[in-house]
Amino acid sequence: MRLLPFQYAVRNLGRSRSRLALSVAGAAMVSLLILVAGGFVRGMSQSLQASGGDRNVLILGAGSEESVERSEIEASVPGVLEASVPGIRARAGVSYVSPEVHVMLPVAVGGGASSTEAASQPRRQVMLRGVTPAAALVHASVSLREGRWPVAGADEVMVGRTAATVLGVGDAELAVGRTLTIDDRPWTIVGRFDAPGTVVEAEVWLPLADVMTATKRTTISCVVVTLDPYDEQTGQGAEFDDVAAFAMTRPDLELVAMTERAYYGKLAEFHGPVKVVVWVTSALIALGGLFGGLNTTYAAFASRVRELGTLQSLGYRRAAIVWSMVQESTLGAAAGGLLACAVGVVALDGLAVRFSMGAFGLVIDETVVALGLLTGLALGVIGAVPPAVRCLRPSIPEALKAV
């Protein structure tokens, strides 16, 4: 079968610049939508997977395995755990044992309750984490980027890099020295921290004692411990089973142990339906874009029925003509896909997105980029075949008489 030259398809693209611009823009929008959906799902999954330490174990209240905010355990548990389980990692005599309180509270940007600045800002639910200095040991991904750690009793906090997204304000609004309103009291921001690729970056950290005072509670939410790998030769170190055995042998404390990775894995499973909804919504919108592209392509091909008849009279088979039209459509759609991928990599990669669990960054990696490119190519092929076949239905005499 003799094929039409590839240059024929390329030259036809420039016959109508307005139609070419519409085709490229339509394919770019659909591909960009798929990129956003893929980046959202990848970002959510990776942030939850990266939030847990490899050797970290959570001690929670029994029945609170799916929500650390609902967990309550006695404040004496950290000391009992440290004394009962050998093999907990230590540095300079300080054990990697971090008692913490996790609580969602409304937070506003600005001063006290009577402050005009605070009153003008909406209150957003933000994850507050009450910590001690030991939190810096067990959460290895957290690093102080500016300022210092808050001091207990001084109404001081430090904020994560993406906390501004959760609060709906600009990054400058959470600079060191600015204030947040928590529990109708002004708290001074004295530090900012990074925790790349984790949901921890969307949190506000403050001293454990201050959180317990503000929430009027005498219990803590959990204990995070880091275990040293067990060495069979020296008999030192510990495994998860050692901590789990401690929780089981102390029924009076009503504890349950789980690895930090397992906890965030459960959160990922909980948000699984959200990912499905994102993909379904994107697919429906993409389907609408495809139908719009079919109408545009059919209108473009319908005006060339006489030209197609002439090509058949010159000896080109219909399959060859369809192939040339698919090439033409695919070139325009592929250009749109490349444009969408460029926008995604430059403008969307790492963009913080607010979510119920805090915030996370979109991840536009090679897998998502490949998906965007394939979407553009698929739009070109699927959008060209039906209109091309329909425009080639008339016989050669009928096509040559077409207006």
Side-chain angles (χ1 to χ4, degrees):
M1 180 178 64
R2 186 173 57 148
L3 298 178
L4 277 80
F6 181 71
Q7 292 84 348
Y8 177 79
V10 175
R11 290 176 180 176
N12 278 327
L13 284 174
R15 293 175 63 172
S16 175
R17 295 184 179 180
S18 59
R19 178 175 65 84
L20 176 61
L22 288 174
S23 300
V24 172
M29 286 190 291
V30 174
S31 298
L32 190 61
L33 175 67
I34 298 299
L35 280 173
V36 172
F40 181 90
V41 172
R42 294 282 287 182
M44 179 189 295
S45 301
Q46 291 188 11
S47 64
L48 289 173
Q49 291 173 1
S51 295
D54 291 332
R55 302 292 302 174
N56 283 1
V57 178
L58 279 173
I59 304 297
L60 305 167
S64 303
E65 294 87 347
E66 295 182 354
S67 176
V68 69
E69 297 99 284
R70 296 199 308 264
S71 173
E72 291 190 19
I73 61 178
E74 297 295 330
S76 60
V77 170
V80 177
L81 175 66
E82 183 179 351
S84 304
V85 179
I88 295 176
R89 185 172 298 175
R91 177 186 297 175
V94 179
S95 299
Y96 284 50
V97 179
S98 174
E100 299 179 358
V101 169
H102 296 233
V103 60
M104 294 282 287
L105 289 179
V107 177
V109 178
S114 60
S115 169
T116 304
E117 182 183 7
S120 64
Q121 294 288 349
R123 294 177 180 265
R124 299 282 184 89
Q125 293 289 329
V126 179
M127 174 64 73
L128 303 182
R129 187 184 296 228
V131 297
T132 64
L137 299 176
V138 300
H139 299 290
S141 64
V142 175
S143 60
L144 192 64
R145 62 183 293 195
E146 184 182 359
R148 59 176 175 82
W149 279 66
V151 176
D155 288 351
E156 296 177 346
V157 301
M158 68 177 188
V159 299
R161 184 180 62 87
T162 59
T165 301
V166 180
L167 288 166
V169 298
D171 196 58
E173 298 294 320
L174 299 185
V176 172
R178 301 300 293 266
T179 57
L180 297 177
T181 298
I182 305 172
D183 191 35
D184 292 332
R185 290 159 48 195
W187 298 69
T188 304
I189 300 174
V190 297
R192 293 163 60 87
F193 65 89
D194 289 331
T198 69
V199 295
V200 178
E201 279 193 321
E203 298 177 352
V204 174
W205 285 21
L206 56 165
L208 177 64
D210 291 354
V211 175
M212 296 179 69
T213 300
T215 56
K216 299 178 176 60
R217 60 187 292 172
T218 58
T219 58
I220 60 177
S221 299
C222 66
V223 182
V224 184
V225 298
T226 303
L227 305 179
D228 268 331
Y230 182 75
D231 190 338
E232 295 183 358
Q233 295 181 352
T234 62
Q236 296 180 349
E239 296 295 338
F240 168 73
D241 292 341
D242 298 319
V243 183
F246 163 78
M248 294 177 62
T249 56
R250 292 300 303 266
D252 57 311
L253 297 177
E254 298 182 346
L255 305 175
V256 63
M258 61 190 309
T259 63
E260 209 172 26
R261 287 289 173 88
Y263 172 75
Y264 284 106
K266 284 183 175 290
L267 284 184
E269 293 178 2
F270 177 79
H271 289 100
V274 176
K275 301 176 186 178
V276 175
V277 171
V278 170
W279 282 121
V280 170
T281 303
S282 300
L284 291 176
I285 299 177
L287 189 61
L290 175 62
F291 286 140
L294 285 172
N295 290 331
T296 303
T297 306
Y298 176 73
F301 289 170
S303 62
R304 296 163 54 188
V305 172
R306 179 182 295 180
E307 174 188 340
L308 302 181
T310 302
L311 290 174
Q312 293 180 71
S313 67
L314 293 176
Y316 290 103
R317 300 183 62 179
R318 293 185 178 184
I321 298 174
V322 169
W323 175 245
S324 179
M325 299 172 84
V326 167
Q327 288 178 333
E328 179 183 339
S329 176
T330 303
L331 283 173
L338 286 172
L339 178 62
C341 290
V343 173
V345 172
V346 173
L348 298 180
D349 189 29
L351 181 67
V353 178
R354 185 172 182 266
F355 199 58
S356 60
M357 60 188 178
F360 59 89
L362 298 180
V363 176
I364 311 297
D365 56 9
E366 59 277 5
T367 302
V368 178
V369 169
L371 182 62
L373 291 175
L374 288 175
T375 300
L377 294 174
L379 287 173
V381 175
I382 299 175
V385 172
V389 171
R390 185 173 180 181
C391 291
L392 286 170
R393 283 181 180 176
S395 62
I396 294 178
E398 292 175 345
L400 293 175
K401 294 178 182 179
V403 179

